[in-house]
Amino acid sequence: METTQERPARLRIGVIGAGRVGSVLGQALGRAGHKVVAASAVSERSRTYAAERLPTARILEPAQVVEASDLVLLTVPDDELAQVATGLATTGVDMRGTLIAHAGGAHGYGILAPATVVGALPMALHPVMTFTGRDEDIERLANCSFGVTAPEQLRPIAEALVVEMGAEPVWITEDKRTLYHAALAGGANHLVTLVADSAALLSTAGVPDPGRMLAPLLGAALDNSLRLGIHGLSGPVMRGDSGTVAGHIEQLRENAPESVAGYIELARLTADHAINAGLLKPEDAERLLDVLRR
């Protein structure tokens, strides 16, 4: 097998967990010239994904997938990775020299230790993208980054596989993997919650099409934050408008009490960042923080 960052040898690909993510990664590697030979798929939906996206794959039990493959994509939920790796290792299937790549964000390759002990070659290839199960997933993959973690001798292979899928490999060290994933989940998942909450509040305020109103504002805010960081901030917290913030909290208590705690904590965090960046004057910050404490 190649150990440079040139194209890896053509590999027989197996997918354990042919759901939204596994089927797309397998499809992308198939387009790159590898052959998807086997997949495990328990649910009816996974079997449908496998049939549509991995037509050359035989549906097999997980141990049989390993036997048939040079590279196994272990695309199961993060909390199941250790259990599945242990299960595979105890089946007695020969894993020596087989590449095992999981796609979870929160773990590096250490989670695959049970398989590594019996000779597997571990790596973590996490696509920084959401997957909906729709056809556009494969196209979005080509525009995203992958968080890559592997033993140093496997790094060239891991990065080359990501490049072959049309994406950008970004090296994450094993000890920073959970922090990396917390950053991504906090940004992407909480963004959805914030937008949904804003839209619901606008509906309560009588706005007939909240999405239409929010789209230009949130698009500009996201662009500003990605380009400028905290210096892209605007709004009452940055200005120290404590009266406005107090009014927000009062109205939220009356109309959406479940949103109050989140608003206050995010306002505090925003104020902290603004103070550290020199955007919020100390005297204004004191009045604002007093309102948030009360």
Side-chain angles (χ1 to χ4, degrees):
M1 183 175 296
E2 298 261 1
T3 57
T4 69
Q5 198 167 349
E6 298 175 0
R7 295 185 65 169
R10 299 304 85 193
L11 302 173
R12 295 173 300 160
I13 307 296
V15 182
I16 296 178
R20 292 182 180 183
V21 179
S23 61
V24 170
L25 297 186
Q27 184 181 18
L29 288 169
R31 288 186 176 185
H34 303 287
K35 184 173 183 180
V36 184
V37 296
S40 71
V42 176
S43 69
E44 188 61 36
R45 178 171 293 182
S46 292
R47 287 179 176 268
T48 299
Y49 286 142
E52 293 176 351
R53 298 173 175 177
L54 312 173
T56 60
R58 293 179 295 154
I59 302 300
L60 301 173
E61 292 299 314
Q64 295 173 310
V65 173
V66 174
E67 286 182 322
S69 307
D70 303 308
L71 166 63
V72 176
L73 299 176
L74 191 56
T75 44
V76 299
D78 281 13
D79 287 349
E80 297 178 16
L81 281 170
Q83 179 182 351
V84 174
T86 299
L88 290 172
T90 57
T91 62
V93 62
D94 187 2
M95 302 180 74
R96 291 174 297 177
T98 301
L99 293 163
I100 305 287
H102 77 76
H107 301 287
Y109 64 86
I111 197 76
L112 302 177
T116 306
V117 168
V118 295
L121 305 175
M123 56 182 67
L125 307 178
H126 174 241
V128 185
M129 180 51 63
T130 60
F131 294 86
T132 64
R134 300 170 64 87
D135 291 341
E136 59 262 29
D137 286 348
I138 185 67
E139 309 307 329
R140 287 176 173 173
L141 196 68
N143 294 314
C144 77
S145 300
F146 273 64
V148 175
T149 306
E152 192 62 37
Q153 65 270 29
L154 296 177
R155 178 174 177 174
I157 298 172
E159 292 180 337
L161 288 167
V162 171
V163 170
E164 284 197 319
M165 286 187 275
E168 178 185 358
V170 178
W171 184 251
I172 309 294
T173 60
E174 181 81 5
D175 63 320
K176 297 298 185 185
R177 191 77 186 193
T178 302
L179 178 62
Y180 148 84
H181 191 244
L184 296 176
N189 301 162
H190 297 166
L191 177 62
V192 173
T193 302
L194 286 171
V195 174
D197 195 52
S198 293
L201 292 171
L202 286 172
S203 292
T204 302
V207 175
D209 187 355
R212 172 68 185 87
M213 177 175 283
L214 285 170
L217 172 66
L218 298 187
L222 179 60
D223 178 66
N224 288 341
S225 63
L226 291 174
R227 289 187 301 106
L228 305 173
I230 194 62
H231 291 279
L233 182 65
S234 63
V237 171
M238 185 200 75
R239 294 191 297 268
D241 291 343
S242 55
T244 298
V245 171
H248 289 174
I249 295 170
E250 180 182 354
Q251 283 298 304
L252 288 173
R253 284 203 176 103
E254 291 182 14
N255 295 280
E258 70 282 358
S259 297
V260 172
Y263 180 97
I264 290 173
E265 290 305 317
L266 283 171
R268 284 175 176 155
L269 183 60
T270 302
D272 287 344
H273 284 304
I275 292 167
N276 291 336
L279 299 174
L280 182 57
K281 297 177 181 178
E283 59 272 21
D284 293 334
E286 185 175 350
R287 289 193 297 271
L288 177 65
L289 293 173
D290 185 56
V291 165
L292 295 174
R293 279 191 294 269
R294 288 188 279 114

